[in-house]
Each structure stands twice: as C-alpha cells, then as structure tokens.
Amino acid sequence: MPHSYVSCYVHYVFSTKYRQKTITPEIKERLWAYMGGIARENNMTALAVGGTADHVHILLALPSTMSIAKAIQLIKGGSSKWISDTFPSHRPFVWQEGYGAFSISISRLDDTIAYIHGQEAHHQVKTFEEEFLAFL
C-alpha cells in the first residue's frame, strides 16, 4: 500500500489541579475555542471540547505522527499558559498532572460529541469522580 491511513480518535478527560473550580463562566467558552486552536495548529482536529468548572473533556482526531501523550501535553501546556497570561485573576492556572485517554470508534463519535457538549447537565446528577470511575 503506497499510503498510510490512520483513524485515531481519543477522548481525553482531565481536571484542574486539586479539582478547584477555576474554569469560570468568564473564561469557559474562550478556553474551549483556544484548545481547539491548539489542536488545529498542531495538525490535530478537535471534534468537541467541553466540561465544567473543574474538568475538561476533549475529543481529538490525532495524526499518525502524534502520540496520545504528546497531544495532551500540547493542549494542557498551551492552555494553562494562555489562561495565566490572559486572565491575571486566574494566575497561576494549573491542570492536574494526570489525564484519562480513551479510544473512540467512528461509530461512537456522534454519541461522544453529544456527551461532551452535555457536561453541565450531566454533572447535575453525577460527580466528576463518579464519571471518571465509570470510564475506568
């Protein structure tokens, strides 16, 4: 085969440090858009970004040359720097060290996108801890 074809969709979940509720309404929508821009600048595609005051879900399509770890390093590093630089009242902004990364099949993309966009409603009935344990 003369070409490589890759279909790699990863659903990432990660929290603010100590699960502090530091993603305020003031920055939330701009943060989701900024994370999508980081993905685009690094040849990834952000299919959905969402979350609540203390955590983020992002569904990325990764290129064949990008590792799961490198993708999240770029997203988390770039976004925490941007928040600290753009919103002085949020300094220093820090993500937790770890993350969850879950592969998603093409047949589940629409469901995963809907799930990410429905985070605010979802977390009125289930905590972040309960949600993450269910993923595991």
Side-chain angles (χ1 to χ4, degrees), residues 8 36 48 55 60 65-66 105:
C8 184
H55 74 282
L60 296 175
T65 57
M66 180 78 60
S105 72

Side-chain angles (χ1 to χ4, degrees), residues 9-13 57-60 100-104 112 115-116 135:
Y9 298 98
V10 181
H11 178 181
Y12 291 95
V13 184
H57 291 255
I58 184 167
L59 178 59
L60 296 175
F102 308 94
S103 60
I104 303 295
T112 304
Y115 177 78
I116 291 171
F135 274 117

Side-chain angles (χ1 to χ4, degrees), residues 14-33:
F14 55 97
S15 174
T16 57
K17 189 153 187 161
Y18 306 120
R19 294 194 184 115
Q20 294 178 330
K21 297 185 182 308
T22 52
I23 304 171
T24 62
E26 169 194 19
I27 69 169
K28 184 170 56 173
E29 294 305 318
R30 288 180 64 189
L31 175 59
W32 303 163

